[in-house]
């Protein structure tokens, strides 16, 4: 997806809206398909997006198929997987729309209905991508809060993170992410009536404004990172003190299960930092450069655009890595995947705990039988 709009819109649209309509040659669908196949970035992004959608869908189905009460951590994992699916879907939809309905030059010679469809479709997919990225950030922050409460407020954890409250929090988080992602829909409201006479539709004017929805991602990212660093720093100090000789823990809730879930989340946060920080720094630097050294940015735009594309591939790779981490480290996800993909026997009709108990009983009986035979 073209993620450079947050700084290059001022370059390509820093013109009067009343300028004459330009005649632009647009390739037909065959040429667009060939251009897509010749572009490594689009092929890599398509592959990552499709694999991310598939793996995260499997994670959600795996957790849903396990017949036991899902914990708060599991529900947040499902929410994060859903946000990763939104990001992957937006990337795939963007590439499909680039072939089927390319973005036309605003105010160009094409039919007004065709321009309206392409500009609004491009805007909706771009906003969907921003909403998915914002929800990924908020999800990771909610996971940090959940771990903090489990370790620092173990006695009140079930009250603070009850089923109804958690669903409400997740719902509000999704609502907030979509409001931020689609916030640029309102950016052209104040100039629409002044410029509609020049042949621009509303979605084209939104594209021409200096405000972009990617700004919200750049604002949410450091806030979530600060909260996560603060909470995980306190959690680290708590666990370190818990393991000191002679220290008596306040509660047995700081146990192996909590620590394992914490390590899993920290791995997810680590992949998030590796994939997000380069893109975040690049976008911030470009926002500064385009304001104080526009000529240099215009001269190097092809190189900068290529760098931005591959950094965005690294960014969406985070959606794939999250699913892999959960498939490897979360036992409920592993059991659910086994149940979905391989196990078709009679054990599928029993809850996860009963399956484990049955296997343990069978192993114990075999051990006793072997001991009798030896005697």
């Amino acid at each position: 997806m073209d993620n450079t709009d947050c700084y290059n819109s001022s370059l390509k649209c820093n013109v009067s809206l009343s300028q004459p309509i330009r005649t632009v040659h647009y390739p037909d669908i065959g040429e667009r398909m060939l251009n897509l196949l010749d572009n490594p970035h689009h092929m890599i992004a398509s592959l990552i997006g499709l694999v991310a959608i598939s793996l995260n869908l499997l994670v959600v189905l795996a957790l849903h198929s396990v017949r036991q009460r899902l914990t708060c951590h599991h529900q947040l994992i499902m929410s994060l997987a859903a946000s990763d699916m939104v990001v992957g879907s937006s990337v795939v939809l963007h590439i499909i729309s680039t072939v089927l309905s390319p973005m036309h030059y605003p105010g160009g010679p094409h039919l007004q209905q065709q321009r309206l469809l392409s500009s609004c479709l491009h805007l909706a997919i771009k906003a969907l991508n921003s909403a998915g990225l914002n929800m990924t950030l908020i999800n990771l922050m909610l996971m940090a809060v959940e771990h903090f409460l489990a370790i620092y407020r173990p006695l009140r954890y079930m009250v603070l993170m009850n089923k109804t409250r958690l669903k409400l929090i997740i719902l509000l988080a999704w609502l907030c992410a979509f409001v931020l992602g689609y916030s640029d829909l309102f950016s052209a409201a104040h100039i629409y009536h002044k410029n509609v006479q020049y042949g621009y539709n509303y979605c084209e004017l939104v594209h021409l404004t200096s405000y972009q929805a990617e700004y919200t991602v750049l604002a949410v990212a450091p806030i979530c990172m600060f909260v996560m660093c603060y909470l995980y720093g306190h959690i680290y100090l708590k666990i370190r003190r818990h393991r000191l000789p002679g220290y008596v823990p306040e509660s047995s809730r700081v146990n192996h299960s909590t620590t394992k879930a914490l390590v899993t989340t920290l791995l997810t946060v680590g992949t998030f930092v590796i994939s997000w920080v380069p893109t975040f720094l690049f976008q911030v630097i470009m926002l500064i450069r385009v304001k104080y050294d526009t000529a240099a940015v215009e001269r190097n735009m092809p190189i900068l655009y290529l760098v931005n594309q591959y950094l965005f591939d690294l960014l969406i790779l985070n959606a794939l890595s999250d699913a892999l981490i959960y498939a490897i480290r979360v036992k409920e996800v592993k059991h659910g995947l086994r149940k979905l993909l391989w196990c078709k026997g009679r054990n599928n009709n029993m809850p996860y705990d009963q399956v484990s108990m049955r296997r343990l009983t069978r192993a114990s009986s075999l051990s006793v039988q072997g001991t009798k035979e030896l005697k």
Side-chain angles (χ1 to χ4, degrees), residues 117-162:
L117 175 63
S118 65
S119 59
C120 290
L121 184 62
H122 174 83
L123 180 65
I125 294 173
K126 186 167 69 75
L128 182 67
N129 180 260
S130 298
L133 294 175
N134 279 323
M135 190 57 209
T136 299
L137 291 164
I138 296 173
N139 259 312
L140 291 172
M141 184 177 67
L142 290 177
M143 285 182 168
V145 173
E146 187 262 338
H147 287 305
F148 181 84
L149 293 176
I151 291 177
Y152 269 82
R153 297 290 185 270
L155 300 179
R156 290 184 52 79
Y157 173 79
M158 296 306 297
V159 176
L160 295 173
M161 300 295 289
N162 60 62

Side-chain angles (χ1 to χ4, degrees), residues 7 282 297 299-310:
Y7 61 81
F282 178 79
V297 174
R299 286 195 306 270
N300 300 307
M301 181 56 73
I303 298 175
L304 294 173
Y305 186 76
L306 185 63
V307 171
N308 179 81
Q309 287 182 321
Y310 285 106

Side-chain angles (χ1 to χ4, degrees), residues 108-320:
H110 282 70
L111 294 175
Q112 185 175 1
Q113 186 177 3
Q114 187 177 1
R115 284 173 33 223
L116 178 65
L117 175 63
S118 65
S119 59
C120 290
L121 184 62
H122 174 83
L123 180 65
I125 294 173
K126 186 167 69 75
L128 182 67
N129 180 260
S130 298
L133 294 175
N134 279 323
M135 190 57 209
T136 299
L137 291 164
I138 296 173
N139 259 312
L140 291 172
M141 184 177 67
L142 290 177
M143 285 182 168
V145 173
E146 187 262 338
H147 287 305
F148 181 84
L149 293 176
I151 291 177
Y152 269 82
R153 297 290 185 270
L155 300 179
R156 290 184 52 79
Y157 173 79
M158 296 306 297
V159 176
L160 295 173
M161 300 295 289
N162 60 62
K163 186 177 180 180
T164 303
R165 184 172 296 174
L166 180 64
K167 287 184 177 180
L168 180 60
I169 291 173
I170 293 176
L171 178 62
L172 290 176
W174 276 94
L175 180 62
C176 179
F178 270 84
V179 168
L180 292 174
Y182 284 85
S183 59
D184 57 351
L185 290 178
F186 310 101
S187 61
H190 64 290
I191 62 173
Y192 176 66
H193 295 291
K194 298 178 183 178
N195 297 284
V196 68
Q197 58 180 319
Y198 300 116
Y200 295 94
N201 61 59
Y202 186 81
C203 293
E204 289 175 341
L205 290 175
V206 171
H207 181 70
L208 293 172
T209 57
S210 58
Y211 175 79
Q212 301 294 328
E214 286 89 344
Y215 288 153
T216 62
V217 181
L218 297 178
V220 171
I223 295 174
C224 292
M225 281 299 299
F226 174 79
V227 173
M228 285 188 286
C229 290
Y230 177 82
L231 294 179
Y232 284 126
H234 279 268
I235 291 172
Y236 169 76
L237 294 176
K238 178 80 171 181
I239 294 177
R240 184 181 178 184
R241 186 174 54 178
H242 170 74
R243 292 178 176 176
L244 290 177
Y247 175 75
V248 180
E250 298 175 4
S251 172
S252 60
R253 291 299 299 269
V254 185
N255 52 25
H256 174 71
S257 176
T258 304
T259 305
K260 184 178 179 181
L262 176 61
V263 172
T264 302
T265 304
L266 287 177
L267 286 174
T268 306
V269 173
T271 58
F272 156 77
V273 171
I274 294 172
S275 59
W276 276 72
V277 169
T279 300
F280 176 79
L281 293 177
F282 178 79
Q283 298 291 346
V284 171
I285 292 171
M286 290 308 304
L287 284 171
I288 297 173
R289 289 292 300 276
V290 77
K291 184 174 183 179
Y292 296 101
D293 195 3
T294 306
V297 174
E298 289 179 329
R299 286 195 306 270
N300 300 307
M301 181 56 73
I303 298 175
L304 294 173
Y305 186 76
L306 185 63
V307 171
N308 179 81
Q309 287 182 321
Y310 285 106
L311 284 177
F312 188 74
D313 288 341
L314 178 64
L315 176 64
I316 61 176
L317 193 63
N318 181 66
L320 189 152

